[in-house]
């Protein structure tokens, strides 16, 4: 049987593709700048695909107006190239990313941070109390006193859902962090769930977190009493944190939908509905000693 052979067009295809790439890259301001800077000629470059990728990334970044618009694989990270006998691809962070890092450098002072991302820039200076709500005005004044070190204790902020307890507490924490104070914002429900996993998987990490919350200058425990706790969390974790802070006169802020009276009931019964009046009372006593009570009434702002 006669052998059939096929003529390869691979060389022609390659030359055609390279010609198209040269056509696209030539007389381009971005590429010309790179070539002149490194004393190169476009026709001598073998890695035209790399130059195309660089050009595409530059064009995409030229039309970007902020990190929210960034479509790169890692937001704020863009491609650049360097010549050192060969062209090498590199990654660098854009100005939007660097500006954000500078603006958010205060976050390192929040050693335990459950603050939602969309609220990480509000401060007491940037928010206003509801001037028609005396509770809101009073709370705003007290939070500013804490910020200025003019209050000897923390606050127990209580009221119905959605009145702004968490929002205003977050504004305080961000303000303290920007003033270089070490603080922590803890969503109690999430914290309890995290502890359950750490008890099983990482006792050392659990101990580290508990020690941090004991010693931090300012601690906010958000939405306390919303979920029943196990005896272990109540007696071995939360009590130890609050007892240490009481003994060392460290500022602690609580937000809750409970009054002190109904918080007592939440503390007395554990999640299995076992009653222990003594242990519940001793935990509540720490809350009382650590704080002044401040009611925050008003309409539900979440609606």
């Amino acid at each position: 049987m006669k052998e059939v052979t096929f003529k390869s067009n691979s060389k022609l295809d390659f030359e055609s593709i390279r010609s198209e790439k040269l056509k696209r890259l030539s007389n381009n301001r971005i590429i010309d700048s790179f070539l002149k800077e490194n004393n190169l000629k476009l026709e001598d470059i073998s890695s035209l695909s790399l130059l195309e990728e660089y050009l595409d990334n530059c064009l995409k970044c030229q039309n970007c107006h902020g990190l929210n618009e960034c479509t790169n694989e890692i937001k704020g990270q863009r491609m650049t190239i360097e010549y050192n006998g060969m062209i090498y691809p590199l990654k660098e962070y854009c100005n939007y990313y660097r500006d954000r890092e500078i603006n958010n450098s205060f976050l390192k002072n929040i050693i335990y941070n459950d603050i939602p991302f969309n609220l990480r820039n509000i401060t007491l200076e940037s928010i206003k109390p509801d001037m028609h709500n005396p509770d809101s005005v009073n709370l705003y004044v007290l939070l500013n006193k804490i910020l200025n070190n003019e209050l000897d204790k923390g606050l127990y902020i209580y009221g119905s859902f959605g009145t702004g307890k968490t929002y205003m507490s977050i504004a305080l924490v961000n303000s303290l962090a920007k003033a270089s104070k070490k603080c922590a914002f803890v969503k109690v429900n999430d914290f309890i769930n995290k502890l359950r996993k750490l008890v099983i998987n990482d006792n050392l990490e659990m101990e580290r977190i508990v020690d941090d919350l004991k010693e931090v200058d300012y601690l906010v425990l958000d939405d306390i009493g919303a979920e029943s706790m196990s005896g272990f969390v109540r007696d071995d974790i939360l009590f130890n944190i609050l007892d240490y802070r009481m003994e060392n006169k460290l500022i602690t802020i609580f937000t809750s939908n409970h009054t002190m009276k109904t918080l007592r009931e939440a503390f007395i019964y554990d999640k299995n509905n076992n009653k222990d009046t003594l242990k519940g009372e001793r935990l509540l006593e720490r809350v009382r000693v650590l704080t002044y009570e401040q009611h925050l009434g008003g309409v539900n702002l979440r609606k």
Side-chain angles (χ1 to χ4, degrees), residues 234 264-265 267-270 274-284:
R234 180 190 62 196
R264 175 183 181 274
E265 297 302 308
F267 282 171
I268 285 174
Y269 292 93
D270 68 17
N274 297 315
K275 183 177 181 180
D276 195 321
T277 303
L278 179 61
K279 289 179 178 177
E281 290 275 11
R282 70 172 190 161
L283 182 59
L284 184 66

Side-chain angles (χ1 to χ4, degrees), residues 106-287:
F106 73 94
L107 291 173
K108 69 179 183 296
N109 292 319
I110 308 177
I111 64 167
Y112 190 101
N113 192 346
D114 281 337
I115 297 173
F117 282 101
N118 64 317
L119 297 179
R120 291 193 174 183
N121 281 307
I122 65 166
T123 63
L124 289 176
E125 186 177 6
S126 70
I127 69 169
K128 303 259 185 240
D130 179 357
M131 300 306 293
H132 300 291
N133 182 348
D135 286 350
S136 179
V137 174
N138 289 340
L139 176 58
Y140 188 76
V141 169
L142 290 170
L143 293 175
N144 274 283
K145 284 189 174 184
I146 290 174
L147 176 62
N148 296 317
N149 198 29
E150 296 171 356
L151 206 64
D152 61 334
K153 294 200 294 187
L155 297 173
Y156 182 77
I157 308 165
Y158 68 98
S160 57
F161 299 98
T163 55
K165 301 181 296 295
T166 296
Y167 185 80
M168 294 181 76
S169 298
I170 288 173
L172 170 65
V173 170
N174 288 336
S175 299
L176 288 165
K178 289 192 174 189
S180 300
K181 305 294 185 183
K182 297 299 181 185
C183 38
F185 182 88
V186 180
K187 292 187 73 68
V188 175
N189 285 357
D190 292 347
F191 178 61
I192 290 171
N193 290 331
K194 186 172 186 176
L195 286 179
R196 287 171 183 156
K197 296 175 184 176
L198 290 177
V199 166
I200 298 170
N201 300 317
D202 196 340
N203 269 297
L204 286 177
E205 175 65 5
M206 182 182 72
E207 290 172 7
R208 183 193 66 77
I209 292 172
V210 170
D211 286 343
D212 283 345
L213 298 185
K214 279 181 177 180
E215 297 171 4
V216 70
D217 296 332
Y218 298 86
L219 170 64
V220 173
L221 292 172
D222 182 53
D223 209 11
I224 195 164
E227 180 176 305
S228 296
M229 294 174 276
S230 67
F232 170 74
V233 171
R234 180 190 62 196
D235 306 328
D236 295 276
I237 302 296
L238 195 54
F239 176 82
N240 283 335
I241 291 171
L242 298 188
D243 188 60
Y244 182 93
R245 298 186 66 79
M246 181 185 73
E247 293 296 329
N248 290 277
K249 295 180 169 52
L250 296 170
I251 298 294
T252 310
I253 296 103
F254 304 86
T255 74
S256 184
N257 297 321
H258 288 281
T259 64
M260 282 283 189
K261 182 177 180 180
T262 57
L263 184 66
R264 175 183 181 274
E265 297 302 308
F267 282 171
I268 285 174
Y269 292 93
D270 68 17
K271 68 173 186 174
N272 296 316
N273 211 34
N274 297 315
K275 183 177 181 180
D276 195 321
T277 303
L278 179 61
K279 289 179 178 177
E281 290 275 11
R282 70 172 190 161
L283 182 59
L284 184 66
E285 179 63 15
R286 270 65 187 171
V287 177

Side-chain angles (χ1 to χ4, degrees), residues 76 78 93-100:
R78 63 189 180 191
Y93 288 105
C94 70
N95 289 334
Y96 290 122
Y97 180 92
R98 287 194 286 267
D99 288 346
R100 186 187 71 176

Side-chain angles (χ1 to χ4, degrees), residues 37-62:
E37 183 180 331
N38 292 283
N39 197 26
L40 296 170
K41 294 181 179 179
L42 183 60
E43 56 269 22
D44 295 332
I45 304 294
S46 60
S47 51
L48 294 181
S49 294
L50 189 57
L51 284 182
E52 277 198 309
E53 185 181 355
Y54 168 62
L55 176 59
D56 288 339
N57 196 253
C58 287
L59 293 174
K60 184 164 58 173
C61 289
Q62 272 184 348

Side-chain angles (χ1 to χ4, degrees), residues 57 60-61 67 70-80 90-98 100:
N57 196 253
K60 184 164 58 173
C61 289
L67 289 178
C70 182
T71 58
N72 290 335
E73 185 176 352
I74 299 176
K75 282 188 180 294
Q77 191 180 83
R78 63 189 180 191
M79 178 186 179
T80 186
L90 299 171
K91 296 290 185 181
E92 68 175 12
Y93 288 105
C94 70
N95 289 334
Y96 290 122
Y97 180 92
R98 287 194 286 267
R100 186 187 71 176

